[in-house]
Amino acid sequence: MLHRRSIVIVFCLFLLSAIILTIHQIDKRSPGFIEHLVPSRPGNKVQDGKEIDGSTGPCGRGTAWLAKMDLQYPISYAQRDIIVRPTSGAQRKSMTKLNEPLFPQAKQLLADQESRLELRDCQQEPLILDVLDIPIIPVNASQMHFGIATTLDRLADSTPMIERWLAHTGAKLFVVVIKPENGNATTSDQMERRQSELRERGTDVTLLPPLKEEESYTETYFSLVKVMYTHRTEEATWFVLMDDDTFFPSMRSLLAMLDKYDPHREYWIGAISEMWWSVARYGMMAFGGAGIFLSRALAAVIDDVYETCTTEMHPAAGGDERVMRCVYGHTDTKLTNEPALHQMDIFGDLSGVYESGRLPLSLHHWK
């Protein structure tokens, strides 16, 4: 059992690194994107006259997330960075063969060990893969408005992934900050600080309180339509409701999909669940984890009938279900199903899904 769990841990780390690097190769946004991938070597550095522990770099990543996996300690832990290097005229086979072990010698991690595991010098140099250099073409997604309802803590967890698809694209993200489970209210100062931090990362993010102080999460989720439409820019044509663990691998591909549709007509675009029970229960509904795409014309209709839809809604209705009921109840619009959007209601080992070669427009449940 211990050996099997060790393999699982090593595989998960390798898969995560491969996914992140693939995303960068698909959707490069800045000329220096390779430089910031090269791992900084641990070792004490000096900043503002103070010594900084080098283990906080990529070679000493936190391991607190392992606690969620119900592992039997001690476990074996290893990592290695894989760097994609664009090279003019490069040719690479579909499979790269190595004359050395892929991973360094594993370290043993005990249950009572501190949450940060130091892997000095990563044990091995990063693996460099030369790939064909593709010219960098900036993405202009200024017509896109995205909306999330979440807590500040969950937003912090999601920030690195949000940055990968949103930063420097011109798209706007509106985050309605809800009260955390512990009940402590979020202050305006906390929201302003987090908003400034996100904007410094190149993401055009606006944090807002709920429209009503005591509304439920599902009510807040549905209100994202009104929030985005109220704060819309002149060029905004698409309004997207999503979960805080929705991930878009490529903004460029997302825009290419939407180019098929006229935003001045009423469109409700999304994906149904992969789980048959959910489809039998909710029918042809766009599930929020895959992303719910509303054309400007449809968002305008929902904005007009928002109060009516809110009053008519059953209290137990979910957020994406509220969108469905409002659309079906007040328009003739039907769901446009885009199969490349994924709710990801799939359980067990998902290796086959990610190794299939399919190019998803959205993913969900990565947390």
Side-chain angles (χ1 to χ4, degrees):
M1 175 64 75
L2 177 59
H3 177 67
R4 181 180 179 184
R5 290 184 180 274
S6 298
I7 293 176
V8 170
I9 293 296
V10 172
F11 176 76
C12 287
L13 290 167
F14 173 75
L15 183 60
L16 180 60
S17 297
I19 290 173
I20 291 174
L21 291 168
T22 300
I23 291 166
H24 271 273
Q25 179 59 22
I26 291 174
D27 198 16
K28 300 175 291 185
R29 298 195 182 95
S30 60
F33 81 102
I34 281 297
E35 283 75 2
H36 83 265
L37 285 179
V38 178
S40 57
R41 292 287 157 237
N44 292 343
K45 302 177 182 180
V46 176
Q47 180 176 313
D48 297 330
K50 297 181 180 179
E51 198 174 63
I52 302 173
D53 183 4
S55 66
T56 58
C59 297
R61 296 187 176 98
T63 59
W65 58 274
L66 296 176
K68 303 177 182 179
M69 303 183 69
D70 191 27
L71 301 171
Q72 295 183 7
Y73 287 83
I75 61 174
S76 297
Y77 185 103
Q79 73 176 65
R80 188 179 186 185
D81 291 279
I82 302 176
I83 308 300
V84 177
R85 181 171 59 192
T87 304
S88 178
Q91 294 183 352
R92 189 171 69 87
K93 297 180 179 180
S94 59
M95 180 177 294
T96 300
K97 295 184 178 181
L98 302 179
N99 296 321
E100 61 185 51
L102 177 59
F103 289 104
Q105 182 177 357
K107 293 286 187 178
Q108 293 296 310
L109 179 63
L110 304 177
D112 58 352
Q113 194 167 342
E114 293 184 2
S115 62
R116 183 163 296 278
L117 179 66
E118 296 183 17
L119 299 177
R120 290 296 177 187
D121 298 322
C122 290
Q123 301 274 323
Q124 281 180 273
E125 289 298 315
L127 176 63
I128 307 296
L129 297 180
D130 288 317
V131 299
L132 182 63
D133 189 17
I134 300 175
I136 299 173
I137 303 175
V139 174
N140 180 9
S142 57
Q143 69 271 43
M144 304 288 294
H145 284 5
F146 296 85
I148 298 176
T150 189
T151 65
L152 276 188
D153 287 342
R154 287 186 62 88
L155 179 61
D157 291 340
S158 303
T159 294
M161 290 303 184
I162 291 174
E163 181 184 355
R164 290 190 179 278
W165 59 264
L166 183 67
H168 309 296
T169 63
K172 292 183 177 293
L173 173 63
F174 296 92
V175 180
V176 176
V177 180
I178 62 176
K179 184 184 296 185
E181 293 182 358
N182 62 19
N184 295 329
T186 302
T187 66
S188 58
D189 288 343
Q190 290 175 313
M191 292 173 58
E192 289 176 5
R193 283 197 300 270
R194 183 56 53 82
Q195 178 175 283
S196 297
E197 293 169 0
L198 290 165
R199 291 183 176 181
E200 288 173 0
R201 293 171 175 260
T203 55
D204 190 347
V205 181
T206 300
L207 271 59
L208 301 162
L211 295 180
K212 298 178 181 178
E213 185 174 352
E214 297 301 327
E215 65 185 10
S216 66
Y217 168 75
T218 58
E219 290 173 323
T220 301
Y221 187 94
F222 179 57
S223 75
L224 290 172
V225 182
K226 174 164 281 294
V227 169
M228 288 188 288
Y229 194 78
T230 299
H231 293 85
R232 69 190 183 280
T233 60
E234 184 176 347
E235 61 265 42
T237 54
W238 292 101
F239 302 84
V240 187
L241 292 84
M242 52 184 282
D243 291 353
D244 63 11
D245 57 348
T246 299
F247 180 73
F248 300 109
S250 170
M251 181 68 81
R252 194 183 310 278
S253 298
L254 208 59
L255 294 176
M257 179 272 287
L258 292 173
D259 280 345
K260 299 183 297 184
Y261 306 103
D262 181 359
H264 301 293
R265 298 178 59 187
E266 295 178 13
Y267 277 107
W268 172 38
I269 303 170
I272 60 175
S273 172
E274 294 85 356
M275 185 185 300
W276 171 244
W277 179 92
S278 295
V279 178
R281 167 68 176 81
Y282 297 104
M284 293 299 292
M285 180 182 82
F287 282 72
I292 302 173
F293 296 75
L294 306 175
S295 65
R296 182 169 182 136
L298 183 58
V301 174
I302 296 177
D303 181 71
D304 285 340
V305 298
Y306 175 79
E307 294 299 336
T308 302
C309 288
T310 301
T311 302
E312 295 174 345
M313 205 66 62
H314 190 283
D320 38 18
E321 182 183 359
R322 289 170 181 263
V323 176
M324 176 189 69
R325 290 184 180 276
C326 191
V327 171
Y328 282 151
H330 296 272
T331 76
D332 295 326
T333 305
K334 300 295 185 289
L335 175 66
T336 298
N337 184 66
E338 275 288 346
L341 299 171
H342 292 283
Q343 169 70 11
M344 294 302 291
D345 286 338
I346 309 173
F347 304 96
D349 186 357
L350 303 185
S351 301
V353 174
Y354 293 111
E355 295 171 359
S356 66
R358 297 180 180 180
L359 299 178
L361 290 176
S362 66
L363 296 169
H364 185 217
H365 293 319
W366 58 265
K367 287 188 179 183

